[in-house]
Protein backbone atom coordinates (compact mmCIF):
# COMPACT_ATOMS: atom_id res chain seq x y z
CA UNK A 1 0.00 0.00 0.00
CA UNK A 2 3.01 2.23 0.00
CA UNK A 3 2.31 3.30 -3.54
CA UNK A 4 -1.37 4.18 -3.06
CA UNK A 5 -2.29 7.81 -3.62
CA UNK A 6 -3.46 9.96 -0.64
CA UNK A 7 -7.17 9.81 0.26
CA UNK A 8 -7.73 6.63 -1.70
CA UNK A 9 -11.09 4.93 -1.83
CA UNK A 10 -10.23 2.37 0.86
CA UNK A 11 -9.25 5.18 3.27
CA UNK A 12 -12.65 6.77 2.82
CA UNK A 13 -14.30 3.37 3.28
CA UNK A 14 -12.50 2.72 6.58
CA UNK A 15 -13.26 6.24 7.85
CA UNK A 16 -16.92 5.83 7.00
CA UNK A 17 -17.13 2.53 8.88
CA UNK A 18 -15.52 4.15 11.93
CA UNK A 19 -17.98 7.02 11.84
CA UNK A 20 -20.86 4.56 11.86
CA UNK A 21 -20.11 3.41 15.39
CA UNK A 22 -21.87 0.32 16.66
CA UNK A 23 -24.09 0.37 19.71
CA UNK A 24 -21.28 -1.09 21.80
CA UNK A 25 -19.21 1.96 20.89
CA UNK A 26 -21.98 4.40 21.63
CA UNK A 27 -19.62 6.82 23.35
CA UNK A 28 -17.88 7.53 20.06
CA UNK A 29 -21.19 8.09 18.33
CA UNK A 30 -22.37 10.44 21.08
CA UNK A 31 -19.17 12.49 20.90
CA UNK A 32 -19.50 12.72 17.13
CA UNK A 33 -23.03 14.05 17.46
CA UNK A 34 -21.96 16.51 20.16
CA UNK A 35 -19.16 17.79 17.93
CA UNK A 36 -21.52 18.06 14.96
CA UNK A 37 -24.19 19.96 16.88
CA UNK A 38 -21.60 22.21 18.55
CA UNK A 39 -19.99 23.26 15.28
CA UNK A 40 -23.41 23.73 13.65
CA UNK A 41 -24.58 26.08 16.41
CA UNK A 42 -21.27 27.94 16.55
CA UNK A 43 -21.22 28.59 12.78
CA UNK A 44 -24.90 29.56 12.88
CA UNK A 45 -24.24 32.04 15.70
CA UNK A 46 -21.20 33.47 13.91
CA UNK A 47 -23.05 34.03 10.62
CA UNK A 48 -26.10 35.47 12.39
CA UNK A 49 -23.94 37.85 14.44
CA UNK A 50 -21.94 39.04 11.43
CA UNK A 51 -25.12 39.55 9.40
CA UNK A 52 -26.84 41.55 12.15
CA UNK A 53 -23.78 43.72 12.72
CA UNK A 54 -23.42 44.35 8.97
CA UNK A 55 -27.11 45.12 8.66
CA UNK A 56 -27.09 47.46 11.62
CA UNK A 57 -24.13 49.43 10.27
CA UNK A 58 -25.62 49.60 6.76
CA UNK A 59 -28.99 50.73 8.08
CA UNK A 60 -27.45 53.33 10.38
CA UNK A 61 -25.23 54.78 7.66
CA UNK A 62 -28.11 54.78 5.18
CA UNK A 63 -30.31 56.77 7.53
CA UNK A 64 -27.50 59.29 7.92
CA UNK A 65 -26.82 59.67 4.21
CA UNK A 66 -30.48 59.52 3.21
CA UNK A 67 -31.73 62.26 5.50
CA UNK A 68 -28.75 64.47 6.33
CA UNK A 69 -26.18 66.51 4.48
CA UNK A 70 -23.01 64.68 3.49
CA UNK A 71 -21.15 67.91 4.20
CA UNK A 72 -22.46 70.93 6.10
CA UNK A 73 -20.85 74.22 5.07
CA UNK A 74 -21.11 77.19 7.40
CA UNK A 75 -19.12 80.29 8.27
CA UNK A 76 -17.05 81.32 11.23
CA UNK A 77 -18.74 84.01 13.37
CA UNK A 78 -18.13 87.74 13.03
CA UNK A 79 -18.94 90.48 15.53
CA UNK A 80 -21.72 92.80 14.36
CA UNK A 81 -22.09 96.48 15.13
CA UNK A 82 -24.33 95.61 18.06
CA UNK A 83 -21.65 93.32 19.53
CA UNK A 84 -23.39 90.03 18.74
CA UNK A 85 -21.89 87.08 16.91
CA UNK A 86 -23.25 86.48 13.43
CA UNK A 87 -22.69 83.18 11.58
CA UNK A 88 -25.26 83.66 8.82
CA UNK A 89 -24.42 83.49 5.10
CA UNK A 90 -25.70 86.60 3.26
CA UNK A 91 -24.57 85.54 -0.24
CA UNK A 92 -25.89 82.01 0.11
CA UNK A 93 -27.12 81.69 -3.48
CA UNK A 94 -23.74 82.58 -4.97
CA UNK A 95 -21.94 80.43 -2.41
CA UNK A 96 -24.20 77.45 -3.11
CA UNK A 97 -23.57 77.87 -6.85
CA UNK A 98 -19.80 77.82 -6.29
CA UNK A 99 -20.01 74.75 -4.08
CA UNK A 100 -22.17 72.95 -6.66
CA UNK A 101 -19.40 73.43 -9.24
CA UNK A 102 -16.92 71.40 -7.19
CA UNK A 103 -16.27 68.05 -8.83
CA UNK A 104 -18.03 65.27 -6.93
CA UNK A 105 -20.81 67.51 -5.54
CA UNK A 106 -24.34 66.55 -6.50
CA UNK A 107 -26.10 69.63 -5.12
CA UNK A 108 -25.71 72.43 -2.59
CA UNK A 109 -28.83 73.67 -0.78
CA UNK A 110 -29.10 76.69 1.54
CA UNK A 111 -30.77 75.99 4.87
CA UNK A 112 -32.25 77.99 7.71
CA UNK A 113 -32.22 76.09 10.99
CA UNK A 114 -33.60 76.85 14.40
CA UNK A 115 -34.99 75.23 17.52
CA UNK A 116 -38.56 75.98 18.56
CA UNK A 117 -41.54 74.44 20.35
CA UNK A 118 -44.32 72.70 18.43
CA UNK A 119 -47.79 72.87 19.94
CA UNK A 120 -51.11 71.20 19.18
CA UNK A 121 -53.91 71.67 21.67
CA UNK A 122 -52.36 70.77 25.06
CA UNK A 123 -49.32 68.87 23.74
CA UNK A 124 -45.89 70.40 23.23
CA UNK A 125 -42.60 69.11 21.83
CA UNK A 126 -39.20 70.65 21.26
CA UNK A 127 -38.27 70.41 17.59
CA UNK A 128 -35.52 71.48 15.21
CA UNK A 129 -36.81 73.31 12.14
CA UNK A 130 -35.05 72.87 8.79
CA UNK A 131 -35.95 75.56 6.29
CA UNK A 132 -35.40 74.07 2.83
CA UNK A 133 -36.79 74.47 -0.67
CA UNK A 134 -39.19 71.87 -2.02
CA UNK A 135 -36.78 70.94 -4.81
CA UNK A 136 -33.96 70.20 -2.38
CA UNK A 137 -36.27 68.35 0.00
CA UNK A 138 -37.13 65.92 -2.80
CA UNK A 139 -33.47 64.87 -2.97
CA UNK A 140 -33.64 63.45 0.58
CA UNK A 141 -34.73 59.90 -0.28
CA UNK A 142 -35.27 58.85 3.35
CA UNK A 143 -37.55 61.83 3.94
CA UNK A 144 -39.67 61.52 0.78
CA UNK A 145 -39.98 57.73 0.88
CA UNK A 146 -43.67 57.07 0.04
CA UNK A 147 -43.61 53.70 1.85
CA UNK A 148 -42.97 55.30 5.23
CA UNK A 149 -44.75 58.64 4.88
CA UNK A 150 -48.24 60.11 5.03
CA UNK A 151 -49.70 63.09 3.21
CA UNK A 152 -48.70 64.84 0.00
CA UNK A 153 -45.12 66.08 -0.23
CA UNK A 154 -46.02 68.07 -3.34
CA UNK A 155 -47.95 70.45 -1.03
CA UNK A 156 -44.86 71.16 1.03
CA UNK A 157 -44.83 74.87 0.13
CA UNK A 158 -48.35 75.18 1.60
CA UNK A 159 -47.56 73.97 5.11
CA UNK A 160 -45.14 71.99 7.24
CA UNK A 161 -43.62 68.49 7.24
CA UNK A 162 -43.27 66.63 10.55
CA UNK A 163 -41.25 63.65 11.64
CA UNK A 164 -43.38 60.71 12.74
CA UNK A 165 -42.02 60.94 16.28
CA UNK A 166 -42.99 64.62 16.52
CA UNK A 167 -46.46 63.85 15.17
CA UNK A 168 -46.92 61.07 17.73
CA UNK A 169 -45.63 63.28 20.54
CA UNK A 170 -48.17 66.04 19.98
CA UNK A 171 -50.91 63.87 18.46
CA UNK A 172 -50.82 65.52 15.04
CA UNK A 173 -52.05 64.07 11.78
CA UNK A 174 -52.18 65.29 8.18
CA UNK A 175 -54.56 68.24 7.94
CA UNK A 176 -54.07 69.51 11.52
CA UNK A 177 -52.75 73.00 12.14
CA UNK A 178 -49.90 73.15 14.62
CA UNK A 179 -48.20 76.15 16.18
CA UNK A 180 -44.48 76.84 16.16
CA UNK A 181 -43.39 79.00 19.09
CA UNK A 182 -40.03 80.74 19.05
CA UNK A 183 -38.80 82.77 22.02
CA UNK A 184 -36.71 84.93 19.68
CA UNK A 185 -39.58 86.74 18.03
CA UNK A 186 -40.46 90.35 17.34
CA UNK A 187 -38.58 93.06 19.20
CA UNK A 188 -40.82 95.71 20.71
CA UNK A 189 -40.40 98.64 23.07
CA UNK A 190 -41.27 96.29 25.91
CA UNK A 191 -38.73 93.62 24.90
CA UNK A 192 -38.82 90.62 22.63
CA UNK A 193 -42.18 88.91 22.28
CA UNK A 194 -42.35 85.26 21.22
CA UNK A 195 -43.20 84.57 17.63
CA UNK A 196 -46.13 82.18 17.12
CA UNK A 197 -47.14 80.93 13.68
CA UNK A 198 -49.64 78.25 12.73
CA UNK A 199 -49.02 75.82 9.83
CA UNK A 200 -51.01 73.03 8.28
CA UNK A 201 -49.44 69.58 8.51
CA UNK A 202 -49.23 68.45 4.88
CA UNK A 203 -46.69 65.64 5.23
CA UNK A 204 -45.50 63.23 7.93
CA UNK A 205 -42.28 61.31 7.24
CA UNK A 206 -40.14 58.63 8.84
CA UNK A 207 -36.42 58.68 8.17
CA UNK A 208 -35.87 55.32 9.88
CA UNK A 209 -34.03 56.90 12.81
CA UNK A 210 -35.83 57.59 16.08
CA UNK A 211 -33.77 60.67 16.94
CA UNK A 212 -34.49 62.25 13.55
CA UNK A 213 -38.21 61.46 13.53
CA UNK A 214 -38.55 62.65 17.12
CA UNK A 215 -37.09 66.13 16.60
CA UNK A 216 -37.10 67.16 12.94
CA UNK A 217 -39.53 69.49 11.17
CA UNK A 218 -39.28 70.93 7.64
CA UNK A 219 -40.53 74.35 6.60
CA UNK A 220 -40.35 76.03 3.19
CA UNK A 221 -37.12 78.01 2.94
CA UNK A 222 -38.65 81.48 2.57
CA UNK A 223 -41.14 80.82 5.37
CA UNK A 224 -38.32 79.73 7.67
CA UNK A 225 -36.40 82.90 6.84
CA UNK A 226 -39.33 85.03 7.92
CA UNK A 227 -40.08 82.98 11.03
CA UNK A 228 -36.50 83.14 12.34
CA UNK A 229 -35.87 86.75 11.24
CA UNK A 230 -33.32 85.53 8.67
CA UNK A 231 -34.55 87.46 5.65
CA UNK A 232 -31.91 87.46 2.93
CA UNK A 233 -29.55 85.05 4.70
CA UNK A 234 -29.06 81.34 5.33
CA UNK A 235 -27.56 79.68 8.38
CA UNK A 236 -25.71 76.92 6.50
CA UNK A 237 -25.47 75.13 3.18
CA UNK A 238 -26.23 71.43 2.83
CA UNK A 239 -23.93 69.66 0.37
CA UNK A 240 -24.78 66.26 -1.10
CA UNK A 241 -22.00 64.37 -2.88
CA UNK A 242 -21.87 61.64 -5.51
CA UNK A 243 -19.82 59.38 -3.23
CA UNK A 244 -20.28 60.00 0.52
CA UNK A 245 -17.23 57.87 1.32
CA UNK A 246 -14.96 60.49 -0.32
CA UNK A 247 -16.19 63.53 1.59
CA UNK A 248 -12.86 63.97 3.36
CA UNK A 249 -11.10 64.39 0.02
CA UNK A 250 -13.60 67.09 -1.00
CA UNK A 251 -13.27 69.14 2.18
CA UNK A 252 -10.38 71.33 0.97
CA UNK A 253 -12.02 72.02 -2.41
CA UNK A 254 -15.26 72.99 -0.65
CA UNK A 255 -13.43 75.39 1.65
CA UNK A 256 -11.74 77.02 -1.33
CA UNK A 257 -15.02 77.31 -3.21
CA UNK A 258 -16.80 78.72 -0.17
CA UNK A 259 -14.31 81.50 0.35
CA UNK A 260 -13.13 83.24 3.49
CA UNK A 261 -14.61 82.19 6.85
CA UNK A 262 -15.83 78.89 5.35
CA UNK A 263 -15.92 75.86 7.63
CA UNK A 264 -17.04 72.32 6.81
CA UNK A 265 -18.48 69.51 8.92
CA UNK A 266 -18.81 66.10 7.24
CA UNK A 267 -21.09 63.21 8.12
CA UNK A 268 -18.01 61.33 9.27
CA UNK A 269 -17.25 64.13 11.73
CA UNK A 270 -20.73 63.94 13.23
CA UNK A 271 -21.04 60.14 13.29
CA UNK A 272 -17.44 58.98 13.08
CA UNK A 273 -17.18 58.17 16.80
CA UNK A 274 -20.22 55.93 16.68
CA UNK A 275 -19.02 54.19 13.51
CA UNK A 276 -15.60 53.57 15.03
CA UNK A 277 -17.30 52.13 18.11
CA UNK A 278 -19.30 49.83 15.82
CA UNK A 279 -16.11 48.71 14.10
CA UNK A 280 -14.44 47.92 17.43
CA UNK A 281 -17.56 46.06 18.54
CA UNK A 282 -17.58 44.09 15.28
CA UNK A 283 -13.98 42.99 15.84
CA UNK A 284 -14.63 42.03 19.45
CA UNK A 285 -17.77 40.09 18.56
CA UNK A 286 -15.91 38.23 15.82
CA UNK A 287 -13.17 37.24 18.26
CA UNK A 288 -15.72 36.05 20.84
CA UNK A 289 -17.68 34.04 18.29
CA UNK A 290 -14.43 32.60 16.91
CA UNK A 291 -13.65 31.32 20.40
CA UNK A 292 -17.04 29.59 20.44
CA UNK A 293 -16.22 27.94 17.11
CA UNK A 294 -12.86 26.84 18.53
CA UNK A 295 -14.54 25.36 21.63
CA UNK A 296 -16.98 23.47 19.41
CA UNK A 297 -14.12 22.23 17.23
CA UNK A 298 -12.24 21.00 20.29
CA UNK A 299 -15.00 18.44 20.80
CA UNK A 300 -13.69 16.75 17.66
CA UNK A 301 -10.46 15.98 19.53
CA UNK A 302 -12.39 14.26 22.32
CA UNK A 303 -14.36 12.19 19.86
CA UNK A 304 -11.29 11.20 17.85
CA UNK A 305 -9.29 10.29 20.96
CA UNK A 306 -12.10 7.96 22.04
CA UNK A 307 -12.28 6.57 18.51
CA UNK A 308 -8.53 5.93 18.40
CA UNK A 309 -8.69 4.19 21.78
CA UNK A 310 -11.59 1.97 20.71
CA UNK A 311 -9.99 1.16 17.36
CA UNK A 312 -6.50 0.39 18.68
CA UNK A 313 -6.80 -3.29 17.78
CA UNK A 314 -8.00 -2.43 14.27
CA UNK A 315 -5.12 -0.01 13.80
CA UNK A 316 -2.63 -2.67 14.85
CA UNK A 317 -4.10 -5.21 12.40
CA UNK A 318 -4.18 -2.69 9.55
CA UNK A 319 -0.57 -1.69 10.20
CA UNK A 320 0.60 -5.32 10.17
CA UNK A 321 -1.25 -5.75 6.85
CA UNK A 322 0.85 -2.95 5.37
CA UNK A 323 -1.18 0.18 5.97
CA UNK A 324 1.23 3.11 6.23
CA UNK A 325 1.30 5.78 8.93
CA UNK A 326 0.14 8.29 6.34
CA UNK A 327 -2.92 6.19 5.49
CA UNK A 328 -3.85 5.81 9.16
CA UNK A 329 -3.43 9.54 9.67
CA UNK A 330 -5.66 10.29 6.68
CA UNK A 331 -8.34 7.82 7.83
CA UNK A 332 -8.75 9.57 11.18
CA UNK A 333 -8.31 12.98 9.59
CA UNK A 334 -11.28 12.18 7.34
CA UNK A 335 -13.31 11.16 10.42
CA UNK A 336 -12.70 14.49 12.15
CA UNK A 337 -12.82 16.66 9.02
CA UNK A 338 -16.11 15.08 7.93
CA UNK A 339 -17.70 16.14 11.21
CA UNK A 340 -16.35 19.68 10.76
CA UNK A 341 -17.53 19.91 7.15
CA UNK A 342 -21.00 18.58 7.93
CA UNK A 343 -21.38 20.85 10.98
CA UNK A 344 -20.20 23.85 8.96
CA UNK A 345 -22.67 23.08 6.18
CA UNK A 346 -25.60 22.78 8.58
CA UNK A 347 -24.48 25.95 10.38
CA UNK A 348 -24.36 27.92 7.12
CA UNK A 349 -27.84 26.72 6.17
CA UNK A 350 -29.29 27.66 9.55
CA UNK A 351 -27.48 31.02 9.58
CA UNK A 352 -28.68 31.95 6.10
CA UNK A 353 -32.26 30.92 6.90
CA UNK A 354 -32.14 33.01 10.09
CA UNK A 355 -31.00 36.10 8.18
CA UNK A 356 -33.57 35.60 5.41
CA UNK A 357 -36.47 35.15 7.84
CA UNK A 358 -35.24 37.45 10.60
CA UNK A 359 -38.34 39.67 10.51
CA UNK A 360 -40.90 36.92 11.22
CA UNK A 361 -38.53 35.29 13.72
CA UNK A 362 -38.06 38.56 15.57
CA UNK A 363 -41.78 39.25 15.37
CA UNK A 364 -42.46 35.90 17.02
CA UNK A 365 -39.90 36.60 19.76
CA UNK A 366 -41.43 40.02 20.35
CA UNK A 367 -44.91 38.46 20.55
CA UNK A 368 -43.79 35.80 23.03
CA UNK A 369 -42.05 38.43 25.17
CA UNK A 370 -45.15 40.61 25.17
CA UNK A 371 -43.63 43.39 23.04
CA UNK A 372 -41.00 46.00 23.75
CA UNK A 373 -38.04 43.75 22.93
CA UNK A 374 -36.64 46.36 20.54
CA UNK A 375 -36.80 49.92 21.87
CA UNK A 376 -36.07 52.43 19.04
CA UNK A 377 -35.40 55.20 21.55
CA UNK A 378 -32.37 53.18 22.71
CA UNK A 379 -31.36 51.40 19.49
CA UNK A 380 -31.92 54.40 17.23
CA UNK A 381 -33.55 52.40 14.43
CA UNK A 382 -36.97 50.78 14.36
CA UNK A 383 -36.17 47.16 13.59
CA UNK A 384 -33.39 44.59 13.82
CA UNK A 385 -31.66 44.60 10.43
CA UNK A 386 -29.58 41.81 8.96
CA UNK A 387 -27.52 41.81 5.80
CA UNK A 388 -26.20 38.53 4.40
CA UNK A 389 -22.81 39.18 2.81
CA UNK A 390 -20.83 36.62 0.88
CA UNK A 391 -17.60 37.71 2.57
CA UNK A 392 -19.12 37.11 6.02
CA UNK A 393 -20.24 33.60 5.06
CA UNK A 394 -16.83 32.85 3.55
CA UNK A 395 -15.16 34.15 6.69
CA UNK A 396 -17.28 31.92 8.92
CA UNK A 397 -16.79 28.86 6.71
CA UNK A 398 -13.03 29.39 6.48
CA UNK A 399 -12.71 29.79 10.23
CA UNK A 400 -14.80 26.73 11.03
CA UNK A 401 -13.14 24.44 8.49
CA UNK A 402 -9.67 25.72 9.33
CA UNK A 403 -10.10 25.06 13.04
CA UNK A 404 -11.77 21.70 12.43
CA UNK A 405 -8.92 20.54 10.19
CA UNK A 406 -6.20 21.78 12.54
CA UNK A 407 -7.58 20.19 15.70
CA UNK A 408 -8.14 16.92 13.81
CA UNK A 409 -4.45 16.55 12.98
CA UNK A 410 -3.31 15.93 16.58
CA UNK A 411 -5.37 12.80 17.41
CA UNK A 412 -4.90 11.56 13.84
CA UNK A 413 -1.12 11.75 14.25
CA UNK A 414 -1.41 9.90 17.54
CA UNK A 415 -3.27 7.09 15.77
CA UNK A 416 -0.73 7.03 12.95
CA UNK A 417 2.21 6.70 15.34
CA UNK A 418 0.62 3.91 17.37
CA UNK A 419 2.94 0.91 17.63
CA UNK A 420 1.10 -2.13 16.18
CA UNK A 421 2.90 -4.47 18.60
CA UNK A 422 1.67 -2.46 21.59
CA UNK A 423 -1.83 -2.29 20.10
CA UNK A 424 -2.04 -6.11 19.74
CA UNK A 425 -0.09 -7.14 22.87
CA UNK A 426 -3.16 -7.80 25.03
CA UNK A 427 -5.46 -9.02 22.25
Amino acid sequence: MAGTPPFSRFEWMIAWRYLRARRAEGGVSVMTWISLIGITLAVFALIATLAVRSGFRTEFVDTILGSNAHVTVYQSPVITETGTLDRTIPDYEAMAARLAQVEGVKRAAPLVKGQVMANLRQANAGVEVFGISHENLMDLRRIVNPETSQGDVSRFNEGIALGRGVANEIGASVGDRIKLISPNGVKTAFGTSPRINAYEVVYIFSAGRYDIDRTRVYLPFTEAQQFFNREGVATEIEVMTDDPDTVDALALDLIRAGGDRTLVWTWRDSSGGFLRALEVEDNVMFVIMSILVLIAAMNIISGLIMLVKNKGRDIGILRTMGLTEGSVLRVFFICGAFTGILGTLFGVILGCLFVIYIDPIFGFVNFVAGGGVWDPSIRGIYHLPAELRAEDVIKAVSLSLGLSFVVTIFPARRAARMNPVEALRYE
Side-chain angles (χ1 to χ4, degrees):
M1 296 184 182
T4 57
F7 298 102
S8 299
R9 183 178 178 181
F10 75 90
E11 295 175 356
W12 287 92
M13 182 186 67
I14 297 172
W16 176 244
R17 288 178 65 88
Y18 284 175
L19 284 171
R20 296 168 60 192
R22 293 173 299 181
R23 182 173 300 179
E25 299 164 348
V28 176
S29 179
V30 170
M31 289 304 302
T32 301
W33 278 105
I34 290 176
S35 302
L36 180 64
I37 295 173
I39 293 176
T40 298
L41 295 179
V43 173
F44 158 71
L46 179 58
I47 291 178
T49 300
L50 292 177
V52 170
R53 299 308 303 165
S54 297
F56 187 86
R57 187 185 189 283
T58 299
E59 179 72 10
F60 186 82
V61 171
D62 190 63
T63 56
I64 295 174
L65 302 181
S67 54
N68 293 289
H70 300 167
V71 183
T72 300
V73 179
Y74 55 100
Q75 290 190 337
S76 58
V78 295
I79 301 177
T80 63
E81 296 178 354
T82 58
T84 59
L85 294 178
D86 184 13
R87 305 186 67 163
T88 60
I89 306 174
D91 58 341
Y92 59 87
E93 292 183 351
M95 187 175 181
R98 294 196 305 269
L99 293 172
Q101 296 300 316
V102 175
E103 185 177 358
V105 172
K106 183 189 302 182
R107 69 171 178 85
L111 294 182
V112 173
K113 292 175 63 175
Q115 296 179 346
V116 299
M117 178 180 294
N119 168 265
L120 178 63
R121 293 181 285 273
Q122 303 300 319
N124 300 288
V127 298
E128 186 173 21
V129 176
F130 283 60
I132 190 172
S133 67
H134 178 261
E135 179 184 0
N136 291 320
L137 178 67
M138 295 301 296
D139 285 335
L140 300 176
R141 53 182 175 80
R142 278 280 185 165
I143 302 300
V144 297
N145 185 359
E147 296 181 358
T148 59
S149 60
Q150 303 173 19
D152 186 3
V153 72
S154 63
R155 295 186 57 221
F156 173 65
N157 289 330
E158 303 174 17
I160 191 171
L162 303 181
R164 186 172 68 181
V166 177
N168 292 339
E169 182 76 10
I170 62 177
S173 58
V174 175
D176 290 337
R177 293 186 65 84
I178 69 168
K179 297 178 183 177
L180 294 186
I181 306 171
S182 173
N184 300 321
V186 181
K187 294 182 179 180
T188 66
F190 301 98
T192 302
S193 61
R195 183 185 295 273
I196 302 175
N197 283 7
Y199 301 96
E200 179 186 355
V201 178
V202 297
Y203 187 68
I204 297 176
F205 62 87
S206 176
R209 279 268 301 278
Y210 178 84
D211 56 335
I212 294 177
D213 294 343
R214 173 60 185 78
T215 59
R216 187 168 299 184
V217 167
Y218 286 98
L219 266 182
F221 181 72
T222 54
E223 182 63 36
Q225 284 181 313
Q226 296 175 5
F227 185 80
F228 291 108
N229 296 324
R230 303 293 189 186
E231 288 85 354
V233 299
T235 55
E236 61 188 46
I237 296 179
E238 179 182 79
V239 175
M240 308 299 285
T241 63
D242 295 325
D243 185 2
D245 291 330
T246 62
V247 290
D248 294 332
L250 293 176
L252 185 58
D253 292 336
L254 292 174
I255 292 175
R256 290 172 178 171
D260 297 338
R261 298 175 49 215
T262 298
L263 301 174
V264 298
W265 183 256
T266 70
W267 71 272
R268 290 188 183 278
D269 294 329
S270 59
S271 303
F274 185 81
L275 295 178
R276 285 190 294 271
L278 280 182
E279 184 176 354
V280 172
E281 186 176 353
D282 288 345
N283 295 333
V284 173
M285 289 298 296
F286 181 77
V287 171
I288 294 174
M289 300 309 297
S290 300
I291 294 174
L292 292 182
V293 177
L294 176 60
I295 294 173
M298 293 294 287
N299 287 327
I300 296 177
I301 295 181
S302 302
L304 281 182
I305 290 176
M306 294 181 63
L307 183 62
V308 171
K309 183 178 179 181
N310 289 342
K311 299 299 182 181
R313 177 175 175 271
D314 294 1
I315 295 171
I317 294 174
L318 291 173
R319 289 296 309 279
T320 58
M321 293 175 60
L323 199 68
T324 63
E325 288 188 8
S327 292
V328 175
L329 185 146
R330 288 189 291 271
V331 166
F332 287 94
F333 179 82
I334 290 172
C335 292
F338 182 78
T339 303
I341 292 173
L342 207 58
T344 301
L345 177 62
F346 291 155
V348 169
I349 293 174
L350 286 178
C352 293
L353 289 175
F354 174 81
V355 175
I356 294 172
Y357 296 102
I358 188 171
D359 289 336
I361 292 174
F362 188 76
F364 174 75
V365 173
N366 194 54
F367 172 77
V368 172
V373 174
W374 187 269
D375 188 353
S377 64
I378 298 176
R379 311 294 182 182
I381 56 180
Y382 292 102
H383 66 283
L384 179 65
E387 181 180 6
L388 188 62
R389 295 183 177 181
E391 55 265 33
D392 290 339
V393 176
I394 293 173
K395 189 185 300 183
V397 170
S398 301
L399 177 66
S400 177
L401 293 181
L403 291 176
S404 299
F405 292 167
V406 169
V407 300
T408 300
I409 292 175
F410 299 103
R413 288 183 62 188
R414 178 182 177 183
R417 293 180 178 181
M418 181 178 294
N419 190 330
V421 176
E422 295 293 331
L424 297 174
R425 173 175 294 180
Y426 302 104
E427 297 295 335

